[in-house]
Every structure is written in C-alpha cells, then in structure tokens.
Amino acid sequence: HSTLQERQLLQDICETVSHRASILAATAILAVATKIGKLNCTVAIDGSLFSKHPVFKARMEDTITFINENANLNLVEAADGSGLGAAIIAAVSASRTAFGSESLH
C-alpha cells in the first residue's frame, strides 16, 4: 500500500518527465524543420503520449513558439504512422536495390 504523500510524489515525477519529454520532442522537430527550411508545414506525429496525454501537444506547440515565434508547425496525430513509415522505407529500399544502389545515404 502507498501513502497519499507517495502517490503525490509519483504524480509530480510523472508530470515532470512528461513535461520534459514534450520539450525535447518539440525541440527535435523544430531542429529538423529548421535544417530542411520548412518552418511552415504540417508534422504528423504517431504515439500514444502525443495522442492521449491531455496537454502534451499544447506543450510542444508552446515550446516551438517559445524557441522560434516565426515557426508555424501544425502538429497533427498520424494514424498508424510507424506502419506507414516502415512501408515507405521498405519501398525505397526495394527501389534502390532494383536500380543497383543499396546504400541509403
């Protein structure tokens, strides 16, 4: 059994970790968008934390705006994004193999 104080501490730890995760995710997405010169685009994100956490998406959007107020990244949930990503990678790999270029760089 746990005490109320222990449960509150665990809740605070989870809050801190999820807040930091949203900052790290947003920073990484903004870094990629900046690197490829796409600061006005839609970014599809897959994952239960993004789709189910009550404020994760809002925190990501706040972080992006805080770092670069000119960035206009529309964060949206991607349905089966990992499956689609795997299919795209397989298709590119098969295409490169068919044309004799097995390297993906």
Side-chain angles (χ1 to χ4, degrees):
H1 297 283
S2 62
T3 67
L4 176 60
Q5 183 180 14
E6 290 169 334
R7 291 189 301 273
Q8 287 173 331
L9 177 61
L10 182 58
Q11 185 176 6
D12 290 344
I13 291 169
C14 291
E15 172 65 24
T16 300
V17 169
S18 67
H19 192 177
R20 181 160 173 79
S22 68
I23 292 169
L24 292 171
T27 302
I29 289 168
L30 181 59
V32 171
T34 301
K35 178 75 175 171
I36 65 173
K38 300 282 187 182
L39 291 176
N40 185 18
C41 66
T42 297
V43 178
I45 301 173
D46 187 27
S48 58
L49 189 55
F50 181 80
S51 64
K52 296 183 188 313
H53 191 285
V55 295
F56 197 84
K57 177 183 176 183
R59 286 184 177 158
M60 288 180 69
E61 292 167 339
D62 291 346
T63 299
I64 290 167
T65 301
F66 178 77
I67 295 172
N68 184 344
E69 62 187 25
N70 296 318
N72 183 24
L73 301 181
N74 180 29
L75 308 180
V76 298
E77 182 180 357
D80 194 32
S82 58
L84 181 60
I88 291 171
I89 290 171
V92 168
S93 178
S95 172
R96 288 182 168 270
T97 301
F99 289 104
S101 175
E102 295 186 27
S103 175
L104 290 177
H105 356 143

